Amino acid sequence: MILQFFVPLFWAILITLLIAPVSIKIAEKFKLIDHPNTAPHKVHQGSVPKGGGIALALVVFFLVLASPEAKLADVRTILAASVFILLFGIWDDAKGLSAGWKLSGQILAAIVLIWQGLYIRMFGHPIPNIAMTIFWIVGITNAFNLVDSMDGLAAGLAAIASTFFLFVTIDANQLHLSYMSAVLLGSCIGLFYYNTTPAYTFLGDSGAQFLGFMLATLAMAYTPPGLPQPSSWFVPILLLGVPILDTTLVVVSRLRRGAPIYKAGQDHLYHRLTQLGMSPAQAVVAMHVAALLIGSLAFVALQLPPLPANLLFGLALLSGLISLIILQKKN
């Protein structure tokens, strides 16, 4: 069954490789440029176009809308909601939006999902389900925006998460989600060539938020039949564990210091790893390897009965908490 998804994967890689130079030109034309030394966390040497989001969205929309999966309501809903993320992201890349405006775009996207019936169903009452859905969408969307602190980092993490979602949705027989995962994986691989050091293009807020939103919705739509929910509810959390850890680290650190949460800075997981002595390349690889290990742990848990599965998840949380405490000392 997995072989059929190599077709969209192949086309997504190829089309992204071909279209990324066009998106870079579009970014330059509309002045979507990231200039150096305009913020404390920006250490790149020259001006870089923020065309990654345009390339990602074009490829995902083209390949998904051209497929039979586009007839499914969930797929159309996800694409429709992602338009708000993309437009607000491009607006932010061009003008620099306030945190309130960014949040408005993310909440609008979440409302579209909820309005069309795509939301988390963990509780018996709709209000906590809706609240949890908005929290999840906003949280993961921002997590990828925050973790995009080094060339190739966010694109690599998204590629790893997409790979795991491809496998887990095939196992759950949610093949429309598998198709979307394959397309997202291919677009990340194709863009990685232009986004890794030295980057020809940055993801920008449009690209980072688009990746986060797509992965958040894939995680939310994933409902494995035949698997005990007590052994699978935390799978999306583990598959997105590294961006979640990075965001938690930043939020806790800034609250502790009384600094604005939304203000950019050099207090991310990547920066702290370099402060521990890693080179920039080693820090990026370390975070990618961590994502692979945590994602593999999710698949191990799926094969276990509920009690040991949840104990394994608890150990993962404990490890994250210990890492959080240790990394807080590197500020």
Side-chain angles (χ1 to χ4, degrees):
M1 184 182 292
I2 193 173
L3 295 179
Q4 71 190 79
F5 297 106
F6 278 88
V7 175
L9 175 64
F10 169 81
W11 284 114
I13 296 171
L14 181 61
I15 295 173
T16 305
L17 286 170
L18 294 174
I19 207 171
V22 178
S23 73
I24 292 172
K25 294 294 184 184
I26 293 173
E28 291 173 341
K29 179 177 177 60
F30 290 96
K31 303 187 185 306
L32 306 176
I33 307 294
D34 198 326
H35 298 287
N37 304 317
T38 54
H41 68 291
K42 296 184 178 182
V43 296
H44 54 284
Q45 300 302 310
S47 297
V48 180
K50 294 184 280 190
I54 298 171
L56 286 168
L58 287 174
V59 173
V60 169
F61 272 76
F62 173 73
L63 287 177
V64 175
L65 288 174
S67 71
E69 280 71 18
K71 298 176 182 178
L72 300 175
D74 281 0
V75 174
R76 294 198 305 270
T77 297
I78 291 171
L79 292 182
S82 72
V83 171
F84 288 99
I85 298 295
L86 182 66
L87 292 178
F88 273 79
I90 292 174
W91 187 9
D92 187 33
D93 288 335
K95 301 296 183 182
L97 297 181
S98 67
W101 277 108
K102 292 181 185 181
L103 186 62
S104 297
Q106 294 159 7
I107 291 176
L108 277 173
I111 289 172
V112 171
L113 296 175
I114 295 164
W115 174 46
Q116 293 298 313
L118 185 57
Y119 56 88
I120 293 171
R121 290 177 169 85
M122 289 180 62
F123 309 101
H125 196 277
I127 291 179
N129 285 328
I130 289 171
M132 182 63 72
T133 299
I134 294 174
F135 177 78
W136 175 257
I137 293 295
V138 171
I140 299 301
T141 300
N142 281 302
F144 270 86
N145 198 27
L146 287 170
V147 83
D148 186 26
S149 53
M150 183 57 186
D151 298 345
L153 178 54
L157 290 173
I160 292 167
S162 299
T163 302
F164 282 120
F165 277 118
L166 172 61
F167 291 145
V168 80
T169 53
I170 288 173
D171 188 55
N173 202 35
Q174 292 180 287
L175 302 186
H176 61 296
L177 300 182
S178 306
Y179 182 91
M180 295 183 73
S181 300
V183 170
L184 200 61
L185 170 59
S187 63
C188 288
I189 293 172
L191 190 65
F192 193 80
Y193 173 78
Y194 298 95
N195 184 235
T196 192
T197 304
Y200 295 99
T201 185
F202 287 162
L203 290 173
D205 271 34
S206 57
Q209 290 191 52
F210 183 79
L211 286 176
F213 177 80
M214 294 300 291
L215 289 167
T217 52
L218 285 172
M220 195 169 63
Y222 164 64
T223 51
L227 291 173
Q229 285 300 320
S231 295
S232 60
W233 67 271
F234 51 78
V235 167
I237 299 173
L238 291 177
L239 297 186
L240 301 171
V242 171
I244 291 172
L245 175 63
D246 178 72
T247 301
T248 305
L249 176 65
V250 169
V251 170
V252 170
S253 174
R254 293 177 186 178
L255 287 175
R256 183 174 58 84
R257 292 183 284 115
I261 294 174
Y262 55 83
K263 189 176 181 180
Q266 295 191 14
D267 53 359
H268 290 270
L269 179 56
Y270 161 78
H271 298 112
R272 294 170 194 264
L273 291 176
T274 58
Q275 291 166 17
L276 288 170
M278 292 186 183
S279 70
Q282 287 173 328
V284 170
V285 171
M287 292 177 69
H288 287 164
V289 170
L292 286 166
L293 288 172
I294 298 171
S296 299
L297 192 67
F299 277 78
V300 172
L302 278 174
Q303 310 304 314
L304 298 176
L307 180 58
N310 281 271
L311 285 174
L312 193 61
F313 177 60
L315 287 174
L317 283 182
L318 180 61
S319 300
L321 179 61
I322 293 171
S323 301
L324 196 68
I325 294 170
I326 294 172
L327 291 168
Q328 276 293 309
K329 298 177 181 179
K330 290 292 179 181
N331 198 4

